[in-house]
Amino acid sequence: MAPRLDLVLINPSSRTQVYQSLGTELAAVENPVWAGLMANFCRQKGLSVEIIDAEAECLSPSEVADRVAYLRPVLTAVVAYGHQPSASTQIMTAVSRACSAVKVACPEQPVLLLGGHVAALPERTLREEEADFVAAGEGVHTLAGLVEALKSAVPDVSAVPGLYFRDNGRVQRGPAAPLLSKLDTELPGIAWDLLPMPRYRAHNWHCLGGHERQPYAAVYTTLGCPYQCSFCCIQAPFKNGEVAPLGQKQPPNSYRFWSVDHVLGQIDTLVNTYGVRNIKIADEMFVLNKRHVVGICDGIIARGYDLNIWAYTRVDTIKDGMLPKLKAAGFNWLAVGIEAGADRVRTDVDKAFSQEQVYSVVREIQSAGISVIGNYIFGLPEDDHTTMRATLDLALDLKCEFANFYSAMAYPGSPLYATATQKGIPLPRRWTGYSQHSRDSLPLPTRYLPAREVLKFRDAAFTEYYTDPGYLAMVERRFGAQSVEELRRMTAITLERDLLSGALDVEPTLLPPDEAQTTPAELLQLAKR
């Protein structure tokens, strides 16, 4: 008889809940980066692993449960990570459904939940979900340790690092799990061979101009983030304690690197084994360390690969000489946090760069032949109708090749979430409500506007931007008439919003006045999510 499989990692299917009809054709279908990293970590420990990517294979919770029942692993782990940190929370409804389906089909099957949202709210997650265990921290040490504990003759999980479990109905936790420090050896890349690689596709905008959207892959070159941003939950999986509310000291940063050679090895595998040309650098902030960025670019250029890559940057992190290297290596898109267009809103969050710098950097990127994804936030604390209009006018004037319009959210694991719960600010009733595109989306109020007005403006701004004649003329010059038609098809999709239709009843609460003293400059980092 073949030995029993040790571990199954599940990436649940959430596209319809999170993106509504935008998820059918326009949104990316992205390989689960964290599940792939965890699989290789555990295989390096001698464990046998399979990945069920329900998102890519369009599997229902019951179909996922059937596969688990067939595989009969020692441990099933449902991974709550998405395309970016905030997506961990918005996919929790899908995580919950997958977990429940597995427990219905296989009541004795041990199930672990892990990921960014779970790390942010580990005890609450264990109390609310049907899982047997949850993991705080990064989760990799917890995975391997729990499998080994469950395989022992008399399982004892109390010493498993980072584990939350029940003991006689009470929630208990094991010792803290250490952060990984030597990424090349401890977390040696993604287990591409366990993933359905032909099924992944790039975002529609990533391939404007006629590029094929498949094959596609997302990779990390760094882990964690050097910033402590109030709206961002990126630090949650890298900490083993509660995130401090705004105005209180936050834990140190979690930023770590894979070596340039290791990153290039991952890209070699993608290009030469799987024929991938479209790549997302999923780092929270890729264009930051010049030596790291230039080293990767030089390696790609030396190989002569014809790639279509996108990555995140900040207005103030692009150094001299970077842009020509990035373009030559195939970086055709950079996502830039532009955020707000009104002086009062920027001053309130102590914005570190001026509007003139925004124009200068965006034009510099475009002059290098790189397209810009402009990221904007509506619903910052000082926003009213006039200031949100100023932000939209800035976007229309800049005419970035693509734009993301966000509503401000308090994501679990962020300092703002801790503050919002303390102060009783209305938050989404279901985890899908943290999605920017879901029908039950519920943004934060501002000091002057209820959440309903913020969301209404955000949706109207999206339509106005993508139907603006000047913007469409620029797209036609840059990418051709076919790309204009693709954007028109995108704009024709109307998102259903319970908050705007009255199906979601929320009191028109405003942000408490004293938030002016507790919102730090890092609020702006939300624009990169």
Side-chain angles (χ1 to χ4, degrees):
M1 180 181 292
R4 188 179 179 187
L5 180 68
D6 290 317
L7 175 65
V8 168
L9 294 160
I10 297 171
N11 180 43
S13 179
S14 61
R15 220 176 325 141
T16 301
Q17 300 158 11
V18 169
Y19 294 105
Q20 298 190 61
S21 53
L22 291 173
T24 305
E25 295 183 1
L26 301 176
V29 180
E30 196 163 290
N31 57 282
V33 177
W34 265 103
L37 291 170
M38 290 171 171
N40 258 356
F41 177 89
C42 290
R43 291 201 295 193
Q44 189 170 251
K45 300 290 185 182
L47 303 180
S48 55
V49 187
E50 293 287 346
I51 297 175
I52 300 174
D53 190 350
E55 183 83 299
E57 297 190 59
C58 301
L59 300 177
S60 67
S62 61
E63 289 172 322
V64 170
D66 288 344
R67 288 202 185 182
V68 172
Y70 173 78
L71 293 168
R72 296 181 56 254
V74 173
L75 176 66
T76 293
V78 188
V79 184
Y81 281 103
H83 290 192
Q84 18 76 9
S86 64
S88 178
T89 288
Q90 66 194 34
I91 70 168
M92 273 304 296
T93 300
V95 168
S96 178
R97 290 175 180 173
C99 172
S100 297
V102 170
K103 295 303 288 185
V104 167
C106 317
E108 302 305 315
Q109 172 65 57
V111 176
L112 169 75
L113 302 187
L114 71 167
H117 173 96
V118 179
L121 303 173
E123 186 168 343
R124 175 176 173 179
T125 301
L126 188 59
R127 293 188 188 281
E128 291 182 348
E129 306 298 341
E130 295 184 60
D132 303 285
F133 311 101
V134 304
E138 292 172 317
V140 288
H141 289 293
T142 310
L143 271 174
L146 183 56
V147 171
E148 293 296 352
L150 293 174
K151 289 169 68 175
S152 64
V154 183
D156 178 10
V157 302
S158 62
V160 175
L163 187 71
Y164 279 70
F165 58 97
R166 300 182 187 90
D167 184 10
N168 294 321
R170 300 183 63 184
V171 174
Q172 304 289 340
R173 64 175 298 179
L179 282 180
L180 298 167
S181 58
K182 300 176 181 178
L183 298 187
D184 282 11
T185 55
E186 291 181 309
L187 207 59
I190 294 170
W192 304 110
D193 59 304
L194 298 183
L195 297 171
M197 295 299 289
R199 291 181 175 268
Y200 301 117
R201 73 177 183 213
H203 285 286
N204 61 324
W205 54 261
H206 188 178
C207 295
L208 286 177
H211 298 302
E212 293 293 329
R213 293 171 64 190
Q214 292 174 302
Y216 166 77
V219 298
Y220 280 145
T221 78
T222 63
L223 198 59
C225 183
Y227 300 103
Q228 302 287 339
C229 304
S230 63
F231 268 77
C232 181
C233 54
I234 180 61
Q235 301 296 350
F238 310 121
K239 310 300 174 190
N240 284 296
E242 296 296 324
V243 174
L246 297 180
Q248 298 182 20
K249 185 178 180 180
Q250 301 298 326
N253 77 64
S254 56
Y255 201 50
R256 292 149 289 163
F257 294 81
W258 275 275
S259 70
V260 168
D261 287 343
H262 185 279
V263 173
L264 292 171
Q266 289 284 290
I267 293 174
D268 287 339
T269 298
L270 290 173
V271 172
N272 298 320
T273 303
Y274 299 102
V276 171
R277 178 170 178 254
N278 302 306
I279 295 175
K280 170 188 174 181
I281 304 296
D283 305 15
E284 286 309 292
M285 193 51 53
F286 174 68
V287 184
L288 183 60
N289 182 290
K290 185 175 181 179
R291 180 180 297 179
H292 183 71
V293 171
V294 171
I296 291 170
C297 289
D298 283 342
I300 294 172
I301 293 166
R303 286 159 167 77
Y305 293 152
D306 179 23
L307 301 179
N308 178 33
I309 310 174
W310 78 274
Y312 294 101
T313 186
R314 282 170 54 110
V315 168
D316 54 356
T317 60
I318 296 175
K319 307 295 192 302
D320 289 343
M322 277 187 172
L323 290 174
K325 289 277 190 182
L326 287 163
K327 179 59 181 177
F331 284 81
N332 292 325
W333 291 86
L334 289 177
V336 182
I338 296 168
E339 294 95 28
D343 288 340
R344 188 182 82 225
V345 177
R346 290 195 302 270
T347 300
D348 182 63
V349 293
D350 192 24
K351 190 169 184 179
F353 41 84
S354 67
Q355 191 157 307
E356 289 72 23
Q357 285 176 287
V358 171
Y359 275 93
S360 175
V361 169
V362 168
R363 298 302 179 232
E364 186 181 359
I365 294 170
Q366 292 172 326
S367 295
I370 300 172
S371 298
V372 177
I373 314 162
N375 290 331
Y376 304 90
I377 311 170
F378 299 115
L380 293 174
E382 273 295 312
D383 261 330
D384 57 21
H385 284 293
T386 300
T387 60
M388 291 195 299
R389 181 70 235 181
T391 298
L392 177 55
D393 287 342
L394 172 62
L396 290 166
D397 193 42
L398 275 174
K399 289 185 177 61
C400 296
E401 284 79 359
F402 200 79
N404 288 319
F405 296 113
Y406 296 109
S407 301
M409 295 269 187
Y411 297 112
S414 69
L416 187 63
Y417 178 83
T419 300
T421 53
Q422 278 185 353
K423 296 181 178 294
I425 299 170
L427 295 173
R429 297 168 186 170
R430 294 188 298 272
W431 299 126
T432 49
Y434 284 91
S435 166
Q436 297 286 337
H437 303 97
S438 66
R439 66 177 301 150
D440 59 345
S441 181
L442 179 62
L444 285 168
T446 77
R447 299 188 189 104
Y448 310 102
L449 298 172
R452 183 178 291 105
E453 292 299 313
V454 173
L455 187 61
K456 181 179 179 181
F457 190 95
R458 179 266 163 212
D459 286 358
F462 177 89
T463 300
E464 182 174 344
Y465 186 86
Y466 285 106
T467 57
D468 176 68
Y471 168 74
L472 293 175
M474 179 275 295
V475 170
E476 185 167 4
R477 289 192 303 272
R478 183 85 166 78
F479 300 109
Q482 182 60 38
S483 293
V484 173
E485 291 307 309
E486 291 173 9
L487 291 176
R488 284 180 172 146
R489 285 195 294 272
M490 177 185 74
T491 312
I493 297 173
T494 301
L495 295 175
E496 296 181 21
R497 301 293 205 182
D498 291 343
L499 185 61
L500 303 184
S501 69
L504 183 62
D505 184 23
V506 177
E507 292 296 322
T509 307
L510 302 184
L511 205 63
D514 64 345
E515 290 300 293
Q517 283 73 49
T518 57
T519 304
E522 288 87 356
L523 173 67
L524 297 170
Q525 191 75 359
L526 174 66
K528 299 167 183 67
R529 306 295 170 251

